[in-house]
Amino acid sequence: MRYLKLTILVLAYALIPSLAFTQTCCPAGCAPEANRCVTTGPLWARCIPIACAEGSRTPSAGSSGPTREQRKSAVLPRPLRTALTYVAPRQIPSHCPLTSPTQAQVDAATDECVNTLTRSAQFLDCFFEDDAGRGEDKRTGLSCPDRQAALAKQCLKRCANYASDTTHLVCTGSYPNTIWHISFGDISGDTGNSARVDLCGPPLRSIFAKKPPPG
């Protein structure tokens, strides 16, 4: 019995190293990066490491690691979403495919959002400007169009979130109002792609405000 226990212990210690160094591979459509697997194709895929086939020491056939340029242009997750990869809003169906936009594409969509808000605010609030609006023009020393443009720029964070959704989600066209209201719902206007830009940030500085003394 003593020799049997000794034999079992010897076999167990012999197996531990092989188990400890068992290599994992990435499934098709994924590639290794650091100690995890990441999506390499245009559509997002669930990349969970799998056990390598016997004798295999490379990722699954057909997959290749992202280039340095791809890694540099990869879009970081939205600040308020702490997942390692982009997470679609819960209001969007889970079967909606995801893409991997570049930072330049997200930036362009963000700029277009700000421009759209500016044009909408200039038309609605300047064409039909009331006494309160004219009072704000005098207080800020800006014309109505310039004042609306300055207010729209304060919506940059909301536009960045909106742009992140529209560039990641393939089904954006199927849920335009839903995606818009995710970022602008509490200040959204009566028409699509419009919002109360005056609520995106603090009031604009008055020209009558005292300037701080020179340092």
Side-chain angles (χ1 to χ4, degrees):
M1 181 62 72
R2 180 182 303 175
Y3 291 111
L4 178 60
K5 291 181 179 179
L6 181 60
T7 302
I8 293 174
L9 287 174
V10 171
L11 291 175
Y13 279 109
L15 288 173
I16 288 175
S18 62
L19 292 174
F21 292 98
T22 298
Q23 190 174 6
T24 58
C25 292
C26 296
C30 305
E33 184 180 82
N35 59 347
R36 62 193 179 105
C37 295
V38 296
T39 302
T40 58
L43 297 181
W44 178 86
R46 184 180 294 276
C47 295
I48 300 177
I50 59 176
C52 294
E54 185 176 354
S56 172
R57 305 185 67 84
T58 59
S60 302
S63 64
S64 59
T67 65
R68 174 179 296 182
E69 291 302 318
Q70 288 173 330
R71 285 195 294 269
K72 287 172 63 179
S73 64
V75 178
L76 296 176
R78 285 171 57 165
L80 296 181
R81 297 176 184 174
T82 57
L84 293 177
T85 55
Y86 172 84
V87 178
R90 64 180 182 276
Q91 297 93 327
I92 303 301
S94 58
H95 57 74
C96 179
L98 301 181
T99 62
S100 299
T102 64
Q103 188 61 54
Q105 290 173 318
V106 178
D107 290 343
T110 301
D111 292 340
E112 178 58 29
C113 172
V114 174
N115 291 336
T116 298
L117 284 176
T118 300
R119 291 191 295 267
S120 175
Q122 288 173 339
F123 173 75
L124 295 175
D125 295 327
C126 295
F127 189 78
F128 303 101
E129 188 174 26
D130 55 15
D131 290 340
R134 285 186 282 272
E136 278 295 288
D137 295 341
K138 293 180 180 179
R139 187 186 70 82
T140 59
L142 299 172
S143 66
C144 183
D146 289 343
R147 181 168 60 84
Q148 296 301 330
L151 290 171
K153 288 180 180 179
Q154 295 189 145
C155 299
L156 182 62
K157 184 176 181 181
R158 289 177 184 261
C159 275
N161 287 340
Y162 174 72
S164 180
D165 288 334
T166 56
T167 54
H168 277 92
L169 297 168
V170 174
C171 60
T172 297
S174 301
Y175 309 95
N177 292 331
T178 299
I179 295 175
W180 179 262
H181 280 278
I182 289 171
S183 293
F184 294 94
D186 58 330
I187 63 170
S188 182
D190 296 330
T191 59
N193 292 341
S194 65
R196 290 282 307 278
V197 295
D198 57 310
L199 298 179
C200 279
L204 298 178
R205 183 179 178 86
S206 171
I207 57 173
F208 303 108
K210 292 183 178 180
K211 296 181 180 180

